[in-house]
Amino acid sequence: MKDMEKERLMIKTAAEKTAQRIVQPRAAKIDAVGEFPWDLVEAFGKQGFLSILLPESYGGTDGNLTSFCIVIEEIAKVCGSSSLIILAQGMGTLPLLLEGNPSQKDLYFTEISEKNSLTAFALNEMEGESEEFPTHTRAEKHGKDFLINGRKCFITHGSLAKFYSVFAVTQPGHGGEAISAFMVEDGTPGLVFGKREEKIGMRGAVMTDLIFENCRVPHENLLGKEGEGWKIAIDTLNRSKPAIGALAVGIAQGALDFAVHYANERIQFGKPISSFQAIQFMIADMATQVEAARALVFKAASQMDAKIEDAEKLPTISKVFASEVAMKVTTDAVQILGGYGYMRDYPVERMMRDAKVTQIYEGVNQTDRWTVTQHLLRNF
Ligand SMILES: Cc1cc2nc3c(=O)[nH]c(=O)nc-3n(C[C@H](O)[C@H](O)[C@H](O)COP(=O)(O)OP(=O)(O)OC[C@H]3O[C@@H](n4cnc5c(N)ncnc54)[C@H](O)[C@@H]3O)c2cc1C
């Protein structure tokens, strides 16, 4: 077996064990109480899952997306909220990995790998995109610093993270080049957090708004050059989309596995319901969709790892397809469990609630479809 395959198998085995032994027993309570699992953050840190995209010298895989997706899928099979911790960590880290300078990388990567500090990616805003800018938050130059004003909305790890990748307009009137990216540290005066959002799913994950009121950020915290922020955001999203796909595949696989187990146990009309063709066909369709989604997700991840040019289309396609599959498969799993599927005593209703957001975040599937079409039309 080649070294790369061996390494991935080791990562998969470690993630599977962590999922089964540590995460699965906590999943129902995390959801019921809406509890952020700090103990799992520590466990993930010990396994290196929080620094998986970091350079090898900091315990990571040098940005290897396939390994990242493997871990996310394994954890998502048992708990969407816990898997989202690893995903959000990767998203917060990617802008730094892509465009951080050596001293920024050393400072933040050391903190992340040694202290398991959380990171977050802060792009989304409450107001819609203006005609001119994809973001309204401003960062104005004041001497050697920038003063950030504005509000970022629904940010995963908001109020928990030590470092935030924040996108703000620095050069109004420059279209896509108007935006710059910054690392903003927790505790910086002028950064405050909104309330913790109440959600229907991913209930263990924490989302808040970030509110910037004359938040002074030194020039050293600028990622890349001024005006490169939008490119950094898009490059990050192209890498995180297969990861959302992996999260969706994990949730769907978890629901499918549970539904198969239940169908073998549940007796109706004197037989296990798995002996009815109607149930068998549902299971076959669910398994087909999960396999197809997984194949797309890992193809997209491997294309990104291979640095194939113009690779934007497949990450988006994989995210859209896998998230639609997750919603369909988890809904069907609830159906297979009948009335019990609707009850909180079984995990499939949680999986259905967790699956929903994969169709929404990091670009709703409608706008993602638009991205795919634009890509295709450009090539004619
Ligand atoms: C649980 C959760 C966690 C999140 N975490 C983060 C995070 O960590 N960082 C971050 O930056 N953001 C985060 N977000 C924000 C998320 O990325 C946005 O909510 C998402 O991109 C959708 O934007 P919106 O809510 O403004 O919806 P809108 O864009 O207002 O969409 C509303 C509706 O309009 C439709 N629509 C919008 N535009 C078009 C179009 N052009 N064509 C057709 N239909 C369209 C959409 O499909 C949707 O049905 C999170 C959101 C959630 C729910």
Side-chain angles (χ1 to χ4, degrees), residues 119-139:
T119 65
F121 174 82
L123 177 65
N124 187 55
E125 301 197 357
M126 203 173 300
E127 285 178 75
E129 295 179 5
S130 74
E131 295 237 324
E132 197 183 359
F133 310 120
T135 174
H136 295 259
T137 297
R138 296 292 172 110

Side-chain angles (χ1 to χ4, degrees), residues 28-276:
K29 188 167 172 220
I30 288 169
D31 175 68
V33 183
E35 176 182 45
F36 184 77
W38 281 110
D39 56 325
L40 295 185
V41 171
E42 206 182 311
F44 293 161
K46 273 193 194 142
Q47 293 285 343
F49 299 162
L50 298 178
S51 35
I52 195 153
L53 290 175
L54 269 46
E56 277 183 16
S57 50
Y58 296 91
T61 61
D62 277 335
N64 190 285
L65 271 188
T66 304
S67 301
F68 186 51
C69 288
I70 288 171
V71 172
I72 285 176
E73 182 190 338
E74 290 308 318
I75 305 294
K77 283 180 186 168
V78 298
C79 180
S81 294
S82 302
S83 186
L84 184 53
I85 293 174
I86 298 165
L87 174 69
Q89 179 76 351
M91 287 195 71
T93 314
L94 273 166
L96 190 60
L97 189 76
L98 292 169
E99 291 298 337
N101 62 37
S103 58
Q104 288 170 333
K105 285 183 174 172
D106 189 49
L107 176 71
Y108 299 117
F109 289 166
T110 303
E111 173 95 24
I112 292 165
S113 58
E114 288 181 2
K115 298 189 185 160
N116 299 329
S117 296
L118 293 180
T119 65
F121 174 82
L123 177 65
N124 187 55
E125 301 197 357
M126 203 173 300
E127 285 178 75
E129 295 179 5
S130 74
E131 295 237 324
E132 197 183 359
F133 310 120
T135 174
H136 295 259
T137 297
R138 296 292 172 110
E140 281 177 50
K141 261 195 192 136
H142 271 240
K144 289 189 172 169
D145 301 334
F146 287 90
L147 276 191
I148 304 184
N149 280 288
R151 184 173 187 128
K152 297 287 174 184
C153 179
F154 303 156
I155 305 306
T156 309
H157 290 172
S159 78
L160 305 181
K162 179 88 203 276
F163 309 116
Y164 296 87
S165 305
V166 176
F167 298 83
V169 173
T170 45
Q171 303 177 78
H174 284 71
E177 285 164 23
I179 294 167
S180 300
F182 301 88
M183 284 307 272
V184 181
E185 293 189 31
D186 182 38
T188 307
L191 167 60
V192 290
F193 303 104
K195 67 173 172 49
R196 180 177 171 178
E197 300 293 347
E198 275 295 331
K199 309 176 296 309
I200 60 165
M202 299 290 187
R203 288 186 34 78
V206 171
M207 275 107 216
T208 71
D209 285 5
L210 310 186
I211 303 151
F212 297 92
E213 291 169 345
N214 288 328
C215 178
R216 188 176 285 274
V217 174
H219 192 274
E220 299 90 84
N221 290 28
L222 180 69
L223 292 177
K225 296 196 186 83
E226 227 180 300
E228 287 183 344
W230 191 238
K231 183 182 174 303
I232 296 174
I234 297 297
D235 286 348
T236 298
L237 291 169
N238 283 338
R239 283 162 180 77
S240 62
K241 281 187 177 164
I244 296 207
L247 198 150
V249 168
I251 295 175
Q253 184 70 60
L256 171 61
D257 291 345
F258 195 88
V260 171
H261 163 77
Y262 184 89
N264 272 331
E265 302 275 308
R266 174 71 173 164
I267 307 290
Q268 282 293 34
F269 301 96
K271 300 177 194 168
I273 60 168
S274 59
S275 66
F276 301 131

